[in-house]
């Protein structure tokens, strides 16, 4: 089976509500939809994402450029991945090029599993199972967060993650305590600083939050400040979470060596797709680190089923407004789709509506 064509479609995907962080607001999710066609008629689907709409045309061109290097090759995702790494070795696989590789790799594996008529997890040798799911939202103050917590409970999630990083720590603390009160003791609460704090400020705020019963504190300082992360992790009893900005498995390996966190949550795209995720999963298993996901809920659901130290699945549904199937949350767990591949089928009417 050979790859005959790879189509890319840039869209600004709709979201139920804007995602506000300490660094800015995402009103619509800029995505590049990727459709891999083969000479047997099998089509694999995935997407790449970038947070800034201004960069969407550049990402689409980058995916298309990598697609040219893969077209005509046999549909063997690991071999294609290795081929692209060799071709791009002099330039390096970070930034938009790494993002494009991750999205394309997911689409190739989706096609590979579809050709076998199996969900990706089962094709990888794992069985589908429910995954502990948390609702991932933006930055909300103490008044606004109550409604978000109530929505989380009504939707049946096991946890809620809110953004933090208000101008004052008092605002962070008030939002955390209001969310905890609204959620009760049976639903976990995580916070995410999105790299917004200096090391001294992060140390002060995180230590002050250490007795608030949080499931984790995420990315308080710059993602590549592994030494700073390690200092914070050592100082806290609350687990420190990082990983969504690991650009490939090598960066996760470096973070583990630096003891930069208690938990890891690679992004299926940034970690270089399914191929990179499988390597990252082995690293987490060897280090004994619980491993969660970041966005890309469709691929992540399949991959976490094949991850020995699987922890939480993040539900921030970037492509939900373009996808045919809805997510299934039951008793706090996400139920992965028992359909071939990762389960993505586009709503073509919505794709046409939101196409850039």
């Amino acid at each position: 089976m050979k790859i005959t064509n790879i189509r890319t479609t840039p869209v600004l995907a709709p979201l139920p509500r804007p995602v506000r962080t300490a660094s800015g607001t995402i009103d619509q999710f800029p995505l590049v939809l990727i459709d891999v066609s083969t000479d047997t008629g099998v089509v694999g689907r995935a997407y790449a994402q970038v947070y800034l709409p201004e960069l969407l045309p550049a990402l689409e061109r980058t995916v298309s450029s990598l697609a040219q290097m893969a077209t005509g090759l046999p549909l063997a995702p690991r071999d294609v991945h290795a081929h692209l790494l060799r071709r791009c070795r002099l330039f390096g696989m970070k930034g938009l090029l790494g993002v494009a590789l991750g999205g394309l790799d997911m689409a190739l594996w989706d096609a590979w599993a579809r050709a076998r008529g199996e969900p990706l997890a089962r094709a990888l040798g794992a069985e589908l199972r429910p995954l502990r799911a948390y609702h991932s939202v933006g930055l909300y103050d103490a008044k606004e967060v109550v409604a978000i917590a109530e929505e989380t409970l009504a939707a049946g999630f096991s946890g809620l993650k809110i953004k933090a990083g208000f101008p004052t720590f008092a605002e962070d603390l008030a939002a955390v305590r209001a969310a905890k009160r609204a959620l009760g003791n049976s639903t976990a609460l995580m916070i995410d600083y999105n790299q917004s704090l200096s090391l001294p400020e992060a140390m002060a705020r995180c230590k002050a939050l250490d007795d608030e019963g949080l499931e984790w504190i995420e990315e308080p300082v710059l993602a590549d400040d592994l030494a700073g992360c390690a200092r914070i992790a050592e100082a806290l009893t609350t687990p420190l979470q990082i990983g969504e900005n690991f650009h490939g498995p090598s960066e996760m390996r470096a973070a583990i060596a630096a003891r930069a966190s208690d938990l890891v949550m690679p992004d299926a795209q940034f970690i270089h797709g399914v191929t990179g995720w499988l390597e990252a999963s082995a690293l987490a298993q060897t280090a004994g680190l619980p491993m969660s996901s970041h966005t890309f809920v469709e691929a992540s659901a399949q991959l976490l089923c094949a991850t020995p130290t699987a922890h939480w699945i993040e539900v921030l549904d970037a492509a939900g407004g373009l996808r045919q199937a809805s997510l299934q949350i039951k008793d706090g767990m996400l139920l992965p789709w028992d359909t071939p591949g990762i389960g993505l089928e586009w709503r073509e009417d919505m794709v046409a509506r939101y196409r850039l």
Side-chain angles (χ1 to χ4, degrees):
M1 183 164 37
K2 290 191 175 182
I3 302 163
T4 55
N5 182 62
I6 301 174
R7 184 182 69 182
T8 58
T9 307
V11 297
L12 291 173
L15 291 170
R17 64 172 66 83
V19 179
R20 183 161 54 108
T21 76
S23 303
T25 300
I26 302 171
D27 295 307
Q28 294 176 292
F29 236 112
L31 308 179
V32 176
L33 311 186
I34 305 169
D35 295 85
V36 174
S37 298
T38 66
D39 58 1
T40 64
V42 171
V43 179
R45 297 182 178 86
Y47 56 91
Q49 67 185 31
V50 63
Y51 300 117
L52 302 173
E54 295 87 352
L55 294 180
L56 184 57
L59 176 57
E60 193 273 334
R61 288 194 295 271
T62 307
V63 176
S64 294
S65 297
L66 284 184
Q68 291 177 33
M69 301 180 196
T71 301
L73 296 176
L75 182 64
R78 285 185 180 275
D79 292 345
V80 175
H81 191 94
H83 170 74
L84 294 176
L85 288 178
R86 285 194 301 271
R87 286 292 309 274
C88 300
R89 184 172 294 147
L90 294 179
F91 190 78
M93 268 296 181
K94 293 189 178 182
L96 284 181
L97 197 56
V99 168
L101 174 66
L104 179 56
D105 187 86
M106 284 187 274
L108 293 169
W109 278 97
D110 180 60
W112 182 84
R114 285 174 187 253
R116 284 150 181 77
E118 294 181 312
L120 177 60
R122 203 169 284 145
L124 292 172
E127 191 47 80
L128 298 175
R129 59 185 175 83
L131 301 162
R132 190 163 50 158
Y134 72 85
H135 188 202
S136 183
V137 299
L139 188 69
Y140 294 96
D141 65 26
K143 291 183 179 179
E144 299 168 326
V145 80
V146 174
I148 298 298
E150 292 172 348
E151 177 185 309
T152 299
L153 293 173
F157 287 98
S158 291
L160 168 66
K161 185 172 80 179
I162 58 175
K163 306 295 187 185
F166 285 100
T168 67
F169 173 69
E171 293 169 283
D172 284 349
L173 182 60
V176 165
R177 289 182 172 174
K180 286 286 289 182
R181 284 194 299 270
L183 290 172
N185 295 327
S186 60
T187 303
L189 179 67
M190 306 84 156
I191 65 166
D192 182 1
Y193 273 107
N194 287 115
Q195 312 178 68
S196 61
L197 305 177
S198 67
L199 180 56
E201 183 69 11
M203 189 69 79
R205 291 197 189 198
C206 292
K207 289 179 74 173
L209 289 167
D210 218 8
D211 295 325
E212 297 300 320
L214 295 171
E215 180 77 4
W216 70 60
I217 298 172
E218 186 175 332
E219 283 197 335
V221 296
L222 291 176
D224 60 357
D225 183 5
L226 300 183
C229 289
R231 287 178 58 187
I232 295 169
E234 179 67 23
L236 302 181
T237 56
T238 304
L240 185 69
Q241 175 75 276
I242 67 171
E244 68 183 70
N245 286 294
F246 291 152
H247 288 257
S250 63
E251 292 197 355
M252 180 164 155
R253 188 179 301 110
I256 292 172
R259 300 182 182 273
S261 66
D262 305 290
L263 310 167
V264 287
M265 55 175 299
D267 177 286
Q269 167 184 267
F270 281 128
I271 206 68
H272 294 170
V274 174
T275 306
W277 179 286
L278 295 175
E279 184 177 341
S281 172
L283 291 171
Q285 182 182 20
T286 300
L289 290 177
M291 181 161 150
S292 300
S293 65
H294 177 254
T295 66
F296 293 95
V297 65
E298 305 89 357
S300 295
Q302 298 292 323
L303 290 169
L304 283 168
C305 289
T307 299
T309 62
H311 194 202
W312 287 86
I313 184 165
E314 178 178 45
V315 179
L316 197 168
D317 198 5
L322 307 176
R323 191 184 58 238
Q324 289 187 20
S326 58
L327 298 179
Q328 302 176 67
I329 307 292
K330 183 179 180 181
D331 298 328
M333 313 293 275
L334 183 142
L335 308 180
W337 296 311
D338 192 355
T339 54
I342 62 175
L344 266 178
E345 301 293 344
W346 307 125
R347 288 185 55 187
E348 296 296 344
D349 59 330
M350 298 298 283
V351 172
R353 178 177 175 181
Y354 290 101
R355 182 170 184 160
L356 187 66

